[in-house]
Amino acid sequence: MEKVEILKQLETIFRDVLDNEGIVLTPQTVADDVEEWDSLTHIQLVVAVEKAFGIRFSSKEILSWANVGDLVDSVAAKLC
Amino acid sequence: MTVNSLEFLLFFAVFFAVYSAIPCLGRKCGARAGIDADADEVRRKLQNLWLLAGNIVFYAFAEPRMLPLLGGVIVLYWLFGLAAGRFGGSNERVAGLFSAAGVVSGIGSLLYFKYLDFFIESFADLLSLFGFRPGMHALGIVLPVGVSFFVFKLMSYVIDIRRGVIAPTRDFISFAAYVSFFPTMLSGPIDRPKAFLPQLATLRRFSLPMASDGCRQILWGIVKKMLLADNLAVLTDACWSDMASQSTVSVLIAVLVYPVQMYMDFSGYSDMAIGVGKILGFRVARNFSYPFFARNIAEYWRGWHISLTSWLTDYVFMPLNVRFRDWGTHGSVLAIIITFVLIGMWHGASWTFLLFGLYHGLLYVPLMYSGAFFRKSKLKEGRFGLPSASDAAKMASTYLLVALGLIIFRAPSLAGVADCFTAIFTGAGRPPLTFGLTGRELVISGAALLLSFGAVAWEWYGRKKEYVFAAPSWRIFRPRAMRIAFYAAVFIVVMMFATNSNEFIYFSF
Amino acid sequence: MKKFITGLLLFFLFAFILPWAAIFILPSDPDGYLKAYGMKKELASGPSDGRILIAGGSNAAFAVNSRMIQDSLGLDVVNTSLHAGLGFDFIVREALEDSRPGDIVLLSMGLFTGAGGGVGETTSIPFLVDYYPEKLADLSPGNMGIVIKGTYVLLKTKIKDLLVHKSKSGWDYRCSGFNSYGDEEAHWTAPSAGHIEPQTITVSPDDRKRERCFDRVCAMISQIEAKGCQVWILPPVLQEETYEKSRDAAVFLEKEYARHGICYLFPQSDAVFGDELLFNRPEHANGKGVALYTRRLIRALSTACCRDQQEH
């Protein structure tokens, strides 16, 4: 799967979980940029992403993401 | 020495004189930074070395016997960081071991210094419940000043290296200066390496706007701490020291006043620490963001003691939440409760602090299960720019919940908590509203209370700013001399009505 | 940077220099208690031919009838004691200055002695400096700090006295309450309080700051002895209940003095009085208490003098 596609799908997931149709994601987006994205919703997003792609992240991976781009990379790596 | 003392003023005057002169030493210095990068690098190292020297002198004033310990852990963690970085790319396991060693040492040292005596005594109490009489005594362990703060800084350093958030630093002087940073050593805020180390990596030239802002913030902290908090403490301390003989009304007033007192005390000291940092050219982490305008307990904790709660969120809550994610909301609830029990216990080794943490963790439960938690809305303004009626009601109920929790926090023991509630429901004894104070003390405390309301209202209207204190923007205060006269007048008033006590609530953490 | 420095200096001018200017311009209480310092200093500078010099806090000013001592023992008596709030350091320093060879120096401090390192309080030292600015030069660095810290308390008091005229009650201490020996005698005939609320004075067992203070001050006491004086400690008058509650503090004091080889003139227990012998505070005797305390002092001194003449 292309990283651009992954990003698009993540955007859909974010909009759904955070209940905000106006969310736009770029590889540089961080939690501070999205109002509803905090330490608690973060885990809901992670679970939703794992379910959507049928993958499982390690704790270390999850805690090492600095922005959406890192998340996309992790998803891509798992899908190969 | 605390920041608002004469000794600190003398120390800082000497320290700052040299500190601000360093960027101007030698040739080719001046306002145009970077004109001679090599010379600036030397000056930077000198400035950090001087800062470290100041930190050592400051700490020696408070607790000279623990200096070797502080020095030892700084060296240890610096090496842990370097080792974790060295093996980071090649051998993940070894790198992980060094980070883990850092975390374990940190937790171990906190457990030893803060909690060992508590565990021993509690264990002995437990055994005596069953009729055993063990000859165990507390070891009388001395708490190193600032241990709760610098150990947290050290742990976040190794954890962040492991997570790839920062790279380990080879600059030992900078690292040591960061961990022992004197303005925040005694009572925080807790700075993160990611935000602070880069500031040590550049030369700090004197900045008039920043230094003036810092001075103003220090003065505001002095107002909150010495004029408001200390005078409110006269009232609450009088009530708590003699709870059994207070009337219901008195106890209720003391309970409702205490959150304001804590806020003025702790945010006041944080302002002083942050202000001193600004004078030195550092941006210190924010610690408070108008917590009383919170409409639920989650919002409250996003604005109260931010540097501590964000630390525990990043390093305890997040990992736990990730680990428990298969259990959905239940997992998050468990993670929150554990995190808050730790927040409670961070304040000290006592059952009351544990209960305090547990109480706040449990307050999240209805929020999280109802899903109301996740909907964040902007504060609506009603008439006169005040909060809307529904928002005001939410703020009031949050405040009440906080006041209730602080009864547990303030009580000298679990029995003391019960005493307080007994006094509320069966309060007899002294006539209401006297608290056992003299008339004069009552007037001053009452005035402090009114002023505190004023301060909170002022903060409401200025809640978009970092802090509200400034000379009014009237024409008379346009000239700088007049503004300075205003600040001097404020200072004189505070000093005339400050009490003599000088210990902060968070000092012994 | 220059702007910052000028700003700070301006702030210092407004926040510190101006208040002191106001302090010196505003009138001082003409009959203020601490004003008596000048009179006592004059008394102490008079001729001496082996006299008794009493120094200490208000407990000694309120407990002694110097005339009675003078009549009994035939020695001149000067009572320079004023206010324990001036601090252990200041009081003994003054005694060192005042004492002459051959003097018998009786030092009487209360149970708080040495707390805070021996410096005075912000409600005493700055007020003394207000009356006698020349004293500023004689102060220890610690007491200089107290003067700075006490600036605003002093300013507030003077402004309040200016705005609110309070006539003095029988229990307000005045300069004019002292007699020509330096004893506070107005309270000898004033009505007593009757019941006095007992105080509990505690002392932490490992108070190094206090021990160091005693080291410093007792070294000064040794200097007084080296001058050719005899020095004894007068136990402070103490209310019975206060003494019971504050045993630890009393024992700590005795231990500290003993550690430096300084003796009590008579035991503390002989200075423990019931409320009927007290004026208005646990450490202030009333007329009857003064008489009893003075008699005990005279008896102890005459015995000690005989014993000492044999020893020295």
Side-chain angles (χ1 to χ4, degrees):
Chain A
M1 213 184 199
E2 289 284 348
K3 287 194 182 176
V4 179
E5 274 186 64
I6 297 176
L7 188 63
K8 263 277 160 252
Q9 203 167 342
L10 286 178
E11 206 176 74
T12 317
I13 295 172
F14 271 55
R15 286 178 180 173
D16 181 41
V17 171
L18 300 180
D19 200 15
N20 179 350
E21 292 300 318
I23 292 176
V24 175
L25 295 180
T26 75
Q28 288 76 37
T29 310
V30 291
D32 286 343
D33 298 331
V34 182
E35 205 180 320
E36 296 85 354
W37 188 4
D38 64 25
S39 49
L40 266 133
T41 54
H42 182 79
I43 210 61
Q44 293 186 312
L45 291 167
V46 168
V47 169
V49 168
E50 284 180 328
K51 280 214 176 84
F53 290 97
I55 52 178
R56 182 94 180 156
F57 299 113
S58 72
S59 296
K60 185 172 181 295
E61 268 184 293
I62 298 173
L63 294 169
S64 71
W65 297 329
N67 55 30
V68 170
D70 291 345
L71 170 54
V72 170
D73 292 341
S74 284
V75 173
K78 289 265 186 279
L79 290 177
C80 292
Chain B
M1 52 183 149
T2 50
V3 173
N4 63 331
S5 66
L6 190 60
E7 296 83 25
F8 181 82
L9 188 63
L10 294 170
F11 159 80
F12 189 71
V14 172
F15 174 81
F16 180 66
V18 177
Y19 180 89
S20 51
I22 289 175
C24 301
L25 288 175
R27 304 164 295 171
K28 289 199 203 166
C29 82
R32 274 152 63 197
I35 200 167
D36 184 345
D38 291 330
D40 272 355
E41 176 60 14
V42 172
R43 293 183 191 119
R44 180 194 72 88
K45 288 205 170 111
L46 201 58
Q47 195 181 47
N48 289 347
L49 189 61
W50 179 249
L51 176 59
L52 181 59
N55 293 345
I56 293 173
V57 168
F58 183 85
Y59 197 81
F61 217 92
E63 192 78 83
R65 293 174 293 173
M66 291 292 171
L67 259 179
L69 173 78
L70 180 61
V73 292
I74 290 177
V75 170
L76 187 68
Y77 276 77
W78 181 65
L79 293 172
F80 279 154
L82 284 176
R86 165 109 171 51
F87 294 106
S90 52
N91 193 338
E92 288 285 333
R93 269 203 66 221
V94 174
L97 274 173
F98 281 110
S99 273
V103 173
V104 167
S105 312
I107 295 177
S109 54
L110 283 175
L111 283 175
Y112 173 75
F113 285 112
K114 288 184 77 160
Y115 306 109
L116 186 59
D117 277 346
F118 170 64
F119 288 144
I120 292 176
E121 282 167 352
S122 303
F123 191 62
D125 286 342
L126 187 68
L127 286 180
S128 67
L129 266 181
F130 294 109
F132 298 111
R133 237 153 251 315
M136 308 166 85
H137 304 288
L139 299 174
I141 295 168
V142 174
L143 191 68
V145 163
V147 72
S148 307
F149 298 101
F150 67 75
V151 170
F152 268 42
K153 283 183 179 174
L154 292 168
M155 286 200 284
S156 76
Y157 179 68
V158 290
I159 297 175
D160 277 354
I161 288 174
R162 186 83 185 94
R163 289 184 183 177
V165 172
I166 55 169
T169 178
R170 298 194 161 279
D171 189 348
F172 177 74
I173 304 288
S174 291
F175 180 69
Y178 155 62
V179 177
S180 59
F181 191 57
F182 73 83
T184 57
M185 174 54 101
L186 297 180
S187 298
I190 304 170
D191 284 298
R192 301 289 188 86
K194 180 167 188 201
F196 205 83
L197 285 174
Q199 299 191 62
L200 284 160
T202 49
L203 180 66
R204 275 138 273 122
R205 291 204 146 77
F206 178 76
S207 152
L208 181 65
M210 207 171 168
S212 309
D213 183 24
C215 289
R216 226 174 351 117
Q217 194 165 3
I218 292 174
L219 182 56
W220 179 227
I222 287 177
V223 170
K224 285 199 283 188
K225 162 67 187 157
M226 297 180 78
L227 182 65
L228 300 179
D230 285 353
N231 281 312
L232 289 175
V234 170
L235 195 145
T236 57
D237 284 348
C239 184
W240 276 97
S241 65
D242 198 9
M243 185 62 83
S245 64
Q246 301 291 340
S247 69
T248 300
V249 177
S250 301
V251 178
L252 282 175
I253 291 179
V255 164
L256 290 173
V257 161
Y258 193 65
V260 176
Q261 177 196 324
M262 276 280 274
Y263 173 68
M264 293 299 170
D265 190 301
F266 197 23
S267 74
Y269 194 82
S270 298
D271 278 331
M272 286 189 241
I274 294 170
V276 172
K278 280 182 182 168
I279 295 177
L280 298 177
F282 288 100
R283 290 231 165 265
V284 171
R286 192 166 185 188
N287 231 4
F288 287 88
S289 180
Y290 311 118
F292 294 142
F293 305 145
R295 287 162 297 167
N296 57 48
I297 205 71
E299 264 183 41
Y300 168 81
W301 281 106
R302 277 196 284 273
W304 181 279
H305 205 170
I306 298 171
S307 67
L308 177 72
T309 47
S310 69
W311 196 101
L312 279 152
T313 301
D314 287 348
Y315 300 115
V316 172
F317 176 70
M318 285 302 288
L320 283 179
N321 209 12
V322 164
R323 204 164 282 275
F324 298 158
R325 66 185 182 281
D326 296 328
W327 302 339
T329 314
H330 307 310
S332 290
V333 167
L334 182 60
I336 281 263
I337 291 179
I338 293 174
T339 305
F340 271 94
V341 167
L342 289 178
I343 287 181
M345 294 226 62
W346 176 91
H347 289 82
S350 140
W351 291 108
T352 50
F353 291 126
L354 198 157
L355 194 61
F356 167 76
L358 185 62
Y359 168 82
H360 274 279
L362 289 172
L363 284 181
Y364 273 77
V365 171
L367 265 182
M368 294 177 70
Y369 282 119
S370 73
F373 184 96
F374 304 109
R375 281 178 249 120
K376 288 177 203 162
S377 52
K378 291 244 177 312
L379 280 166
K380 289 190 285 280
E381 278 186 22
R383 284 210 290 179
F384 304 115
L386 289 168
S388 65
S390 66
D391 279 350
K394 288 186 191 149
M395 290 181 201
S397 50
T398 306
Y399 186 90
L400 283 172
L401 288 172
V402 168
L404 211 63
L406 282 173
I407 294 178
I408 309 172
F409 185 87
R410 176 67 175 82
S413 64
L414 289 178
V417 178
D419 286 342
C420 181
F421 283 105
T422 314
I424 290 179
F425 290 113
T426 66
R430 291 219 178 91
L433 301 183
T434 54
F435 300 92
L437 295 172
T438 65
R440 196 176 152 277
E441 287 173 322
L442 269 178
V443 168
I444 293 187
S445 293
L449 192 56
L450 284 172
L451 284 173
S452 301
F453 283 135
V456 173
W458 192 5
E459 291 197 329
W460 167 257
Y461 286 107
R463 65 190 182 278
K464 300 254 176 5
K465 302 192 218 155
E466 186 189 348
Y467 65 94
V468 291
F469 183 65
S473 48
W474 308 335
R475 273 190 63 195
I476 190 174
F477 292 121
R478 291 257 186 85
R480 200 162 146 262
M482 287 309 293
R483 283 203 304 278
I484 292 177
F486 173 82
Y487 296 132
V490 168
F491 181 77
I492 291 173
V493 168
V494 170
M495 287 298 150
M496 287 207 291
F497 294 100
T499 58
N500 281 324
S501 80
N502 204 28
E503 268 236 285
F504 301 100
I505 299 175
Y506 279 74
F507 185 75
S508 52
F509 297 134
Chain C
M1 182 57 150
K2 239 180 276 177
K3 261 189 112 181
F4 186 66
I5 301 289
T6 52
L8 286 178
L9 287 173
L10 209 56
F11 181 82
F12 179 70
L13 176 75
F14 287 136
F16 190 72
I17 306 293
L18 274 186
W20 272 103
I23 285 170
F24 281 122
I25 293 171
L26 288 171
S28 310
D29 185 348
D31 200 13
Y33 183 74
L34 287 174
K35 195 171 176 193
Y37 172 80
M39 170 267 276
K40 288 177 179 254
K41 214 57 188 170
E42 245 188 85
L43 276 177
S45 64
S48 161
D49 190 21
R51 63 186 179 171
I52 296 171
L53 183 72
I54 304 175
S58 55
N59 60 74
F62 279 66
V64 174
N65 184 338
S66 297
R67 178 136 186 215
M68 204 196 282
I69 302 174
Q70 182 163 309
D71 290 343
S72 296
L73 297 176
L75 296 167
D76 283 337
V77 183
V78 172
N79 190 347
T80 62
S81 55
L82 190 59
H83 187 15
L86 292 170
F88 199 22
D89 189 276
F90 180 89
I91 290 172
V92 175
R93 205 177 282 256
E94 291 290 302
L96 180 56
E97 198 182 284
D98 294 336
S99 53
R100 316 271 185 74
D103 281 351
I104 299 170
V105 178
L106 302 176
L107 183 62
S108 184
M109 302 288 301
L111 289 187
F112 282 111
T113 308
V119 290
E121 295 176 342
T122 51
T123 43
S124 337
I125 296 274
F127 288 73
L128 186 74
V129 169
D130 182 36
Y131 281 122
Y132 304 100
E134 65 275 13
K135 263 331 257 188
L136 191 61
D138 291 340
L139 292 178
S140 66
N143 278 328
M144 293 264 209
I146 294 293
V147 171
I148 295 172
K149 287 184 202 177
T151 305
Y152 305 98
V153 170
L154 181 54
L155 180 66
K156 182 174 74 167
T157 309
K158 294 192 91 165
I159 293 176
K160 202 170 65 160
D161 287 345
L162 193 70
L163 295 175
V164 177
H165 185 75
K166 226 171 51 155
S167 56
K168 292 203 170 184
S169 75
W171 287 359
D172 283 320
Y173 309 144
R174 314 150 200 255
C175 180
S176 51
F178 287 98
N179 64 20
S180 56
Y181 295 88
D183 308 325
E184 211 288 342
E185 71 173 11
H187 77 290
W188 291 354
T189 45
S192 301
H195 170 72
I196 295 172
E197 198 64 37
Q199 272 186 296
T200 311
I201 300 158
T202 51
V203 62
S204 46
D206 189 26
D207 199 340
R208 295 237 301 260
K209 199 174 179 189
R210 222 164 165 179
E211 285 173 17
R212 272 180 274 142
C213 163
F214 266 87
D215 290 342
R216 257 193 345 263
V217 176
C218 291
M220 280 196 273
I221 294 178
S222 303
Q223 283 183 288
I224 300 178
E225 287 176 322
K227 266 171 135 180
C229 304
Q230 296 170 61
V231 179
W232 274 292
I233 303 295
L234 269 182
V237 169
L238 270 183
Q239 181 199 41
E240 240 174 295
E241 285 174 73
T242 300
Y243 179 59
E244 287 311 313
K245 292 182 173 197
S246 315
R247 274 295 174 124
D248 292 337
V251 166
F252 177 87
L253 275 186
E254 289 176 45
K255 214 178 63 201
E256 282 302 304
Y257 284 124
R259 193 158 67 86
H260 294 96
I262 304 169
C263 304
Y264 274 59
L265 186 64
F266 53 92
Q268 175 70 67
S269 45
D270 277 352
V272 175
F273 290 165
D275 280 3
E276 71 282 0
L277 295 173
L278 296 174
F279 178 50
N280 65 344
R281 288 177 59 98
E283 68 275 6
H284 288 174
N286 64 11
K288 280 200 290 196
V290 169
L292 181 58
Y293 186 83
T294 308
R295 281 202 299 276
R296 289 188 178 158
L297 191 161
I298 294 171
R299 194 171 57 221
L301 201 53
S302 39
T303 329
C305 277
C306 294
R307 195 181 66 231
D308 252 40
Q309 270 161 8
Q310 291 168 0
E311 276 178 8
H312 288 286

